[in-house]
Each structure stands twice: as structure tokens, then as C-alpha cells.
Amino acid sequence: MNGKIVGLSGSLSNPSRTRALVAAAVERAAARYGREPVVIELSSIAGSLGGAVRIGDLDTVARAAVDLMIEADGLVLASPVYKGSYGGLFKHLLDLIDPLALMGKPVLLGATGGGARHALVIEHQLRPLLGFFEAQALATGVYASDADFHDGEIASEALLDRLDRAVGQFAPFLPQVAPRSVAHSDAVHALAF
């Protein structure tokens, strides 16, 4: 295994459509590029994160999550839409990261919301944020609305097709290694935060 594809689900809810989107993206990318899949749930580190003024204030578990993001071969970052933008704690986590730590890192951007009217949050909010970090935000962002899910799982073929196109855009950044065979039930290692 050459490295990890790390996803951050910026939702504080459980269960979460954002987590389902992140897990699907991480699972597909890890299988395609032969990496280990890891999903970090913002809700699992929220307590430490909320009280941190600088990265050194994080407890060991939250700091390990940030380190995984920084060291990952590729990132998947997704947030539910709150009042037309990403969530505040999601942004706070990114605020703690050194501005050069994500430079050149390929990042698949995603978001979830109630309806189609929030789809541009990726272009107007997330993409400029990652531009500040000089990360390589993949060209295709993936937005999912309530209608794309059934019983908490992605049910839209159009969404899965878009997700596969976005995952394919990791190719120039991730040297191909032996593909992994991944069963859905154990596909993503969620960190026990």
C-alpha cells in the first residue's frame, strides 16, 4: 500500500449524507489507485476542535486526524451547506492547518444540501478556500441533494457517474499501484475518534 486517500466529512450529524458521499468517493479512489481509504468525521473531533486556537491545542486524536489529512496522497473534502456556505467548524479545522501544508495536494471537493439551489457552493466557497492553500482542487466538484439519496445511501446513477469522473481526475497526481479489491462493507476505515 503506497499511501492513503483521506476524506473529511464536514457534517456534525449521524447518520450523514455528507459522510455517505465522502465514503463513496474515498472508496472509489482508494480502489482505483491502490491506496488505503480513510474517512474522518468532523463530529468525532468536534470537542477538541471547538476549543483550539492553534493546531497545538488539539488533543492527540484530533491532531492525528489533521496529520492524516496533511500526509494523504489525496483528499476528499465535503461539507453540508449551511446558510449558503460550508460549516463553521469545517472552516475552523482548515484554519488550523499551515497555509503551505496542502500545497499541490489533489483534492476532490464535495457538498450536500437540501436542493439544487446550493450546488454552486463548491465553486463559490470551497474552491477559493482550497486555492488559498495552493491545493490542486480537481476540476469536477460533486454536489448531492436530498433527492440523490435513499435510506442514507447514494441512489442516483447520475451522481455516481459524476463521482467517478471526479475520481478519475486524481490520475495525474497519483501514481498507479496495484488496484485494491474492496468490499463495500469494509471499504472505508473510519477512524475511531
Side-chain angles (χ1 to χ4, degrees):
M1 194 80 40
N2 277 357
K4 294 176 175 58
I5 302 291
V6 175
L8 173 66
S9 170
S11 177
L12 297 176
S13 301
N14 189 9
S16 161
R17 290 183 305 274
T18 306
R19 196 226 189 265
L21 178 64
V22 169
V26 167
E27 176 183 314
R28 284 171 152 68
R32 184 166 181 169
Y33 300 105
R35 302 307 200 276
E36 181 182 347
V38 178
V39 171
I40 299 166
E41 295 187 41
L42 188 65
S43 61
S44 66
I45 60 172
S48 176
L49 187 57
V53 175
R54 62 191 62 81
I55 200 164
D57 296 336
L58 295 173
D59 66 23
T60 57
V61 175
R63 180 59 193 257
V66 172
D67 290 344
L68 275 170
M69 291 172 58
I70 291 169
E71 296 163 5
D73 290 348
L75 281 176
V76 176
L77 298 178
S79 175
V81 177
Y82 291 109
K83 299 182 181 177
S85 188
Y86 40 74
L89 205 51
F90 176 88
K91 173 65 163 63
H92 182 59
L93 171 61
L94 293 174
D95 286 341
L96 297 177
I97 296 174
D98 182 279
L100 301 177
L102 302 179
M103 186 169 50
K105 188 172 301 293
V107 182
L108 190 159
L109 299 173
T112 57
R117 70 183 181 172
H118 296 298
L120 287 175
V121 71
I122 294 170
E123 301 307 319
H124 293 275
Q125 302 291 323
L126 289 171
R127 196 169 300 280
L129 177 61
L130 271 291
F132 169 80
F133 284 97
E134 298 180 50
Q136 294 294 318
L138 302 181
T140 301
V142 182
Y143 176 80
S145 70
D146 290 349
D148 293 316
F149 295 89
H150 180 71
D151 290 335
E153 297 292 325
I154 297 174
S156 165
E157 287 302 317
L159 176 60
L160 292 173
D161 288 345
R162 185 169 181 85
L163 190 56
D164 285 335
R165 278 196 313 279
V167 164
Q169 294 166 5
F170 275 120
F173 305 100
L174 300 178
Q176 190 72 31
V177 294
R180 294 176 35 119
S181 174
V182 180
H184 180 70
S185 61
D186 63 0
V188 178
H189 303 279
L191 297 175
F193 291 115

